[in-house]
């Protein structure tokens, strides 16, 4: 049985629970943070799932570990292949290293240097491509075939989706320990792996929680796809600072789940992203990358109205180059 | 009984435990973070007590809550007075607000803007003084007398010291839950409140743990005082980016405890502080202020050798202005 043959099985809340058992002790149970200043700014209670404190600085360690831990010994010997703008690459590289499995990663040449450095530090081999002129799948296929590698997709795979869903399971468990029920759950949404995994789990354990997505401008094709029922494509030649969630289109597996379970979507401008990053810097003391700050921006801008609600959001990742962060602090730091 | 009359009682591990009971549920039990990149850089295991994630971004909430929660109703009505370069001010302001007590804070005019803003947001009254030409105690005394305020010292008080010691109690408990014993514990040291509280607790529950202090250059008078047995004074007209721990001299109560229990001290340069802050930014995704980064710098520079050891350190605070942080990222972000 290869990963490919399991790629069409149903995605379920029990699958998320099994993933949680697999990753326990290997992936960080990140803190669910609450902050005076944020609660006051929003006029409600906000629970921040701080995945910036996850291994390699993003939630991607969850799905990658869940997938790679299930490879058989032949597959582990041959290795895994992934393409990624950076965070998934690090998650795969780290999980592969935990199982002593070779990892080959296809990455855009304009990936933030910090992400490249961390993937290298985890011992993975990097193959670069130009994301404006080359097709990463065309580059990946011959390498995958030749080396017999298992593909670890960045979102469109049940093991990945259910792995990312463990984030919502921890959030609900921790909220309950504080006697809180979630009115809403907002994700930073790229291809929809995190969103569809979390939505699947929430439907089962907290069905009254409204799942919303936040996307950057020019890359808000997921909410457009959900609204229209037709899979939209972003113009990937557009520039965005939100590299982590600049995906061309929602996944084949993730879109139907999101269509069924996502209640709303908001689009965040680059200035709003910068302001949210500065808020996180000043009051949360967390480094959040642009693509990891859109859900926070949804609340701070009021595009999602958190007044009187208990809202959980993902701070999905924190891998941002010092020079970009410094520029954002200078522009929006007041 | 006023706070003054309790100011000379002994400082004990049981006092730290009682403080832990008082603050439970009111002060954040901050996460003890471990990071791949840091462990690899040091060649040992490093446990980071992330007090940047504490209320108001520093450990000072602990001692302030411990002291103010013990005031009687008359004292609470009259209010509290503190002088502070910023973090203690915020801790006092927040705890005072929790008990609906008026807080008056004497702060230097050159306090980082973020700290001033947060003290104001907590509803405290601020009285500014010039720390190069004026004596804060001379400014404080008539205000205290006139209004009958209880003094909440920034370090030299048993309730403050024992409150800060709760940080070490949580660290040891959490380390034990991971089956770890601490070989060393390094604090960022200013007046010694945190250090003496933690050392008192560690002597009781983990006597084999070596307590070390890290101080900034030109303000390393505590280790000099411990070494010589004579209380040294820093030249407070010197400039340091480590405003949080730029104290003139160790405390009357804290120094004897530290003399008995502190095993070593290291002095950190401003460049080393900046490099540690950038490390925390890149790999820990935490915003650490200069004075909160000296213990991390002690490890990263090798001035404290963590090879093969399990070392806990404090990331004491994260209140740093965006402009300074941006400048440090540009200078040391590589």
């Amino acid at each position: 049985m290869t990963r490919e043959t399991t790629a069409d099985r149903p995605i379920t809340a029990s699958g998320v629970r099994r993933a949680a058992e697999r990753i326990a002790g290997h992936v960080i149970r990140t803190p669910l943070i609450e902050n005076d200043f944020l609660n006051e700014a929003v006029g409600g209670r906000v629970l921040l799932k701080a995945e910036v404190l996850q291994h390699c600085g993003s939630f991607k360690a969850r799905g990658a570990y869940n997938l790679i831990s299930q490879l058989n010994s032949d597959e582990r010997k041959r290795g895994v292949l992934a393409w990624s703008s950076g965070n998934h690459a690090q998650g795969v590289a780290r999980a592969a290293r935990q199982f002593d499995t070779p990892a080959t990663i296809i990455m855009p040449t304009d990936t933030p240097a910090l992400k490249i450095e961390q993937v290298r530090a985890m011992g993975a081999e990097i193959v670069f491509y130009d994301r404006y002129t080359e097709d990463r799948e065309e580059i990946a296929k011959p390498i995958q075939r030749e080396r017999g590698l298992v593909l670890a997709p960045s979102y469109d795979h049940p093991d990945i989706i259910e792995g990312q869903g463990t984030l919502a399971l921890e959030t609900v468990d921790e909220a309950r320990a504080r006697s809180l029920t979630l009115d809403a759950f907002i994700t930073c949404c790229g291809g929809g792996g995190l969103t569809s995994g979390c939505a699947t789990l929430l439907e089962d354990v907290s069905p009254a929680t409204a799942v919303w997505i936040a996307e950057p401008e020019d890359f808000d094709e997921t909410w457009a796809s959900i609204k229209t029922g037709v899979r939209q494509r972003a113009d990937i030649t557009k520039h965005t600072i939100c590299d982590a969630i600049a995906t061309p289109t929602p996944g084949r597996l993730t879109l139907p789940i999101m269509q069924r379970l996502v209640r709303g979507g908001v689009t965040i401008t680059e200035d709003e992203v910068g302001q949210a990053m500065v808020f996180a810097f000043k009051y949360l003391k967390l480094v959040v990358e642009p693509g990891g700050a859109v859900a926070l921006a949804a609340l701070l801008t009021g595009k999602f109205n958190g007044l009187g609600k208990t809202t959980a959001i993902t701070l999905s990742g924190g891998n941002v180059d010092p020079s970009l962060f410094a520029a954002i602090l200078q522009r929006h730091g007041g």
Side-chain angles (χ1 to χ4, degrees), chain A:
Chain A
M1 185 181 81
T2 68
R3 286 315 96 195
E4 282 70 17
T5 61
T6 62
D8 276 323
R9 66 170 178 80
I11 290 147
T12 63
S14 332
V16 175
R17 284 195 198 88
R18 281 192 298 273
E21 284 164 24
R22 276 181 213 112
I23 70 172
H26 305 287
V27 168
I28 295 171
R29 196 178 167 92
T30 53
L32 190 65
I33 290 173
E34 202 171 348
N35 179 272
D36 290 342
F37 294 98
L38 181 55
N39 283 350
E40 277 169 36
V42 168
R45 290 189 74 166
V46 183
L47 308 175
L48 302 143
K49 188 62 171 163
E51 287 293 295
V52 303
L53 302 176
Q54 188 52 266
H55 287 308
C56 295
S58 91
F59 71 92
K60 295 286 192 176
R62 298 173 181 271
Y65 190 95
N66 189 42
L67 186 147
I68 292 173
S69 67
Q70 294 180 71
L71 300 185
N72 64 38
S73 62
D74 269 3
E75 291 170 325
R76 278 188 202 165
K77 210 172 290 166
R78 292 200 303 273
V80 292
L81 176 109
W83 50 80
S84 160
S85 63
N87 283 336
H88 177 61
Q90 292 178 67
V92 168
R94 187 176 193 280
R97 191 176 71 159
Q98 286 174 286
F99 289 98
D100 209 12
T101 299
T104 306
I105 315 282
I106 319 285
M107 291 179 93
T109 46
D110 61 349
T111 301
L114 182 60
K115 294 182 178 178
I116 295 171
E117 182 195 322
Q118 294 192 19
V119 169
R120 283 223 176 93
M122 291 292 157
E125 181 188 339
I126 302 178
V127 178
F128 288 103
Y129 77 103
D130 181 332
R131 71 186 182 90
Y132 299 102
T133 61
E134 295 181 286
D135 181 335
R136 60 192 184 180
E137 302 198 26
E138 291 308 312
I139 290 168
K141 272 178 198 156
I143 300 173
Q144 188 195 0
R145 212 178 309 118
E146 190 180 300
R147 305 186 190 176
L149 304 179
V150 173
L151 182 64
S154 54
Y155 46 87
D156 229 7
H157 190 291
D159 293 342
I160 298 292
I161 294 169
E162 289 174 347
Q164 319 304 28
T166 59
L167 183 156
L169 182 59
E170 292 173 15
T171 304
V172 169
D173 282 353
E174 181 61 31
R176 286 203 178 138
R178 299 181 202 172
S179 307
L180 294 173
T181 312
L182 304 181
D183 297 309
F185 187 96
I186 314 175
T187 62
C188 303
C189 187
L194 176 67
T195 307
S196 56
C198 290
T200 299
L201 186 279
L202 289 168
E203 183 191 23
D204 187 61
V205 302
S206 188
T209 303
V211 178
W212 281 59
I213 60 173
E215 296 177 282
E217 62 184 340
D218 297 328
F219 289 86
D220 51 357
E221 79 296 339
T222 298
W223 180 237
S225 302
I226 292 170
K227 264 193 311 192
T228 60
V230 178
R231 196 195 243 188
Q232 308 286 326
R233 288 194 78 82
D235 174 0
I236 59 158
T237 64
K238 296 251 175 149
H239 176 78
T240 173
I241 56 170
C242 298
D243 60 282
I245 53 175
T247 38
T249 188
R252 192 176 55 79
L253 300 180
T254 60
L255 182 58
I257 298 173
M258 293 193 285
Q259 265 179 314
R260 197 163 58 78
L261 298 174
V262 171
R263 267 317 163 90
V266 298
T267 300
I268 304 298
T269 68
E270 300 231 324
D271 274 353
E272 291 164 347
V273 168
Q275 285 151 8
M277 290 170 69
V278 169
F279 186 96
F281 167 86
K282 285 170 86 169
Y283 301 108
L284 311 177
K285 317 303 177 191
L286 292 175
V287 177
V288 186
E289 67 181 281
V294 291
L296 177 60
L299 272 172
L300 289 173
T301 57
K303 288 181 175 180
F304 177 87
N305 185 354
L307 192 68
K309 299 194 185 93
T310 297
T311 307
I313 68 170
T314 63
L315 296 177
S316 306
N319 291 303
V320 49
D321 280 343
S323 55
L324 175 61
F325 200 83
I328 286 169
L329 285 182
Q330 279 162 336
R331 179 151 186 195
H332 300 288

